[in-house]
Amino acid sequence: MSTTPFLPLPDGLDITSISEVSDVLLVQVTSLRPSSVCPLCAEPSSAIHSSYQRKPMDLPCVGRPIRLLLTVRKFFCREATCSRKIFTERLPELLQPSSRLTIRLRNAVQEIGLATCGKGGERLCPKLGMAVSDVTLLWSLHLVPIPAVGKVRPTGYATR
């Protein structure tokens, strides 16, 4: 099964199964990409070391929470000068390293957090099918990039 309009995934990822466990949709996703780029030296590698499973939350579908069971791989870095010998496959269009929320869900949580602050968003999110706490909402706000400030002109001073 490939991706669906209800759960669009980046190229190279495939939905292998969908099941329901206690009001949460579990979506098994496997990476089919033949190689990955080392995050340290940027050299591609197709030498697979192993695989493991990540379990990030994604945007809800029809008001039901979705948890991805994402199988990602570890690769050997064959670059002799690189200090990283084994690295984990990166999926930057879906998930940040070490994140428990997909980029789509993180953006939605940030918007809710900016609009409602922690407690209001904590009450709203379950009604939208997002099982996140007020701490997650507030922590997500720390990840929002701060816009650059241009030249500041002081006001209230006499100019000479």
Side-chain angles (χ1 to χ4, degrees):
M1 174 187 326
S2 63
T3 65
T4 70
F6 295 109
L7 185 65
L9 293 173
D11 291 337
L13 297 178
D14 196 22
I15 297 173
T16 55
S17 70
I18 299 174
S19 60
E20 180 183 359
V21 176
S22 66
D23 294 336
V24 175
L25 292 176
L26 297 176
V27 181
Q28 181 78 39
V29 178
T30 305
S31 174
L32 303 174
R33 297 176 179 181
S35 65
S36 187
V37 177
C38 176
L40 197 60
C41 69
E43 285 295 318
S45 175
S46 57
I48 298 172
H49 174 271
S50 60
S51 65
Y52 72 102
Q53 197 169 65
R54 294 183 67 178
K55 299 175 184 174
M57 293 295 291
D58 198 8
L59 278 176
C61 181
V62 194
R64 301 185 64 185
I66 293 179
R67 180 165 301 275
L68 300 180
L69 302 175
L70 179 62
T71 303
V72 292
R73 296 170 294 177
K74 291 186 176 192
F75 289 86
F76 290 104
C77 182
R78 299 294 191 199
E79 180 63 33
T81 59
C82 184
S83 62
R84 185 166 293 175
K85 300 303 175 198
I86 299 170
F87 64 92
T88 302
E89 178 176 26
R90 301 285 197 251
L91 304 169
E93 56 282 340
L94 178 66
L95 191 65
Q96 292 295 321
S98 305
S99 179
R100 294 182 180 184
L101 306 179
T102 62
I103 292 172
R104 297 183 289 238
L105 181 56
R106 175 78 64 198
N107 290 339
V109 166
Q110 287 171 339
E111 291 296 325
I112 291 170
L114 288 170
T116 64
C117 300
K119 287 294 182 186
E122 182 184 20
R123 288 188 299 271
L124 175 63
C125 282
K127 294 175 182 171
L128 299 174
M130 300 177 197
V132 295
S133 66
D134 59 332
V135 174
T136 300
L137 281 163
L138 293 175
W139 182 249
S140 293
L141 295 180
H142 287 288
L143 301 175
V144 174
I146 299 172
V149 177
K151 185 176 179 183
V152 177
R153 185 174 152 246
T155 58
Y157 293 104
T159 58
R160 294 182 186 200

